[in-house]
Amino acid sequence: MSWKDYIKEDMFPLFTCAGCTHGTVTNAFARVADELKLDKDKTVIVCAIGCAGRIPTFLDFPVLRVTHGRALAFATGIKLSHPEMKVVALMGDGDALAIGGNHFIHAARRNIDITAIVSRNEIYGMTGGQYAPTTPPGARATTAPYGMLEPAFDTCKMAAGAGATYVARTDAYHVQHLQRTLKTALQHKGFGVVEVLTSCPTQFGRRNKVADPAKMLERIKALTVTQAQAERMTPEELEGKFVIGEFVNTSRPELTEIYARAFAGMGV
Ligand SMILES: Cc1ncc(C[n+]2csc(CCOP(=O)(O)OP(=O)(O)O)c2C)c(N)n1
Ligand code: SF4
């Protein structure tokens, strides 16, 4: 088998705009699925409405595409009823952190064994460029024509604070780092979060003078620092940067195991 066996090539061409790096995440996922030899009968991907949510339908796994913001709610139901399944939620940042923010923090609190991958393109791509909770201050969006006035979420700090047992950030420029991070996350038991910095040249780029897909990738490169680099930087130097790497990798009781123990021998 090769990584291409995890892609539904008959569905090509992709619907995405040129330079959209949601596709880079899908590509990395397929390669890691091949490395880990993920069983297509024991893995399910849940995604929702949005460009990021549509991309997983090109992966050759059972894919459940649900209402915007509800990927983790459905993923939780699948995992509780089929604890033997590997459950992955592949989401956009608006999807995961705005309308789906509540599901996100409670999945982390419960430490349910789901891998949550959040593609952070800093905008609502599919619906025409409205700002997301991840849009950087000052950036323009259709709903922020004079620049974003609100601060952006730190997804990783939020996930860690809510109790996720694996938390990491990576990006679509450093693709080997992206693959290594996804590989570790997919082997983790418990609620794992991988934030992937991605680019939307069409809706973010055009409004923020980085419409060229290559420039958007250079922007990601310029904005990211490793944890080792971050340690040598002042808070002022770190302002607006994204530290990539692993922030949490720990274990504590997982929700479906807690349920199994609670109902053991009761015939439930
Ligand atoms: C319940 C509901 N609310 C709002 C929408 C409209 N809607 C569709 S996609 C989307 C945002 C998409 O942004 P994101 O999740 O960041 O994904 P992207 O398209 O940027 O990849 C919104 C608001 C919807 N389809 N359903
Ligand atoms: S609108 Fe943005 S997120 Fe959607 S496909 Fe185009 S580049 Fe990708």
Side-chain angles (χ1 to χ4, degrees), residues 22 49-52 67-68 92-95 99 121 123-127:
H22 284 329
I49 304 304
C51 299
T67 329
H68 184 54
D93 45 5
D95 179 28
I99 190 170
N121 64 3
I123 201 97
Y124 286 4
M126 180 167 272
T127 41

Side-chain angles (χ1 to χ4, degrees), residues 15-22 51-52 121 123 125-126 199-203:
F15 67 94
T16 52
C17 315
C20 175
T21 49
H22 284 329
C51 299
N121 64 3
I123 201 97
M126 180 167 272
S199 47
C200 169
T202 304
Q203 301 297 357

Side-chain angles (χ1 to χ4, degrees), residues 20-35:
C20 175
T21 49
H22 284 329
T24 310
V25 183
T26 321
N27 183 312
F29 189 90
R31 286 168 193 271
V32 172
D34 180 48
E35 278 182 48

Side-chain angles (χ1 to χ4, degrees), residues 95-247:
D95 179 28
L97 306 172
I99 190 170
N102 215 5
H103 300 298
F104 186 85
I105 55 176
H106 292 291
R109 174 179 64 82
R110 293 172 176 140
N111 193 33
I112 185 160
D113 185 28
I114 295 170
T115 310
I117 303 168
V118 182
S119 190
R120 182 181 183 126
N121 64 3
E122 306 178 291
I123 201 97
Y124 286 4
M126 180 167 272
T127 41
Q130 297 82 5
Y131 68 73
T134 48
T135 303
R140 285 175 196 268
T142 48
T143 44
Y146 305 108
M148 176 66 163
L149 299 174
E150 303 171 13
F153 260 148
D154 185 325
T155 313
C156 293
K157 282 190 180 151
M158 181 166 62
T165 47
Y166 183 82
V167 180
R169 182 182 291 120
T170 179
D171 66 83
Y173 177 85
H174 299 99
V175 284
Q176 289 183 346
H177 186 265
L178 166 63
Q179 283 178 37
R180 279 201 306 276
T181 308
L182 289 181
K183 190 173 175 183
T184 310
L186 285 166
Q187 293 174 96
H188 177 78
K189 177 95 184 160
F191 190 66
V193 175
V194 178
E195 180 174 62
V196 189
L197 305 180
T198 51
S199 47
C200 169
T202 304
Q203 301 297 357
F204 185 92
R206 280 188 194 164
R207 289 186 178 81
N208 292 285
K209 301 194 175 93
V210 271
D212 175 359
K215 285 216 171 75
M216 285 229 73
L217 278 173
E218 281 166 13
R219 176 178 172 271
I220 293 180
K221 185 186 176 197
L223 285 178
T224 47
V225 293
T226 64
Q227 286 164 307
Q229 287 169 324
E231 275 170 25
R232 295 191 296 272
M233 292 167 74
T234 64
E236 292 73 33
E237 288 169 330
L238 275 172
E239 190 66 40
K241 299 273 192 220
F242 290 94
V243 182
I244 57 169
E246 199 175 82
F247 305 107

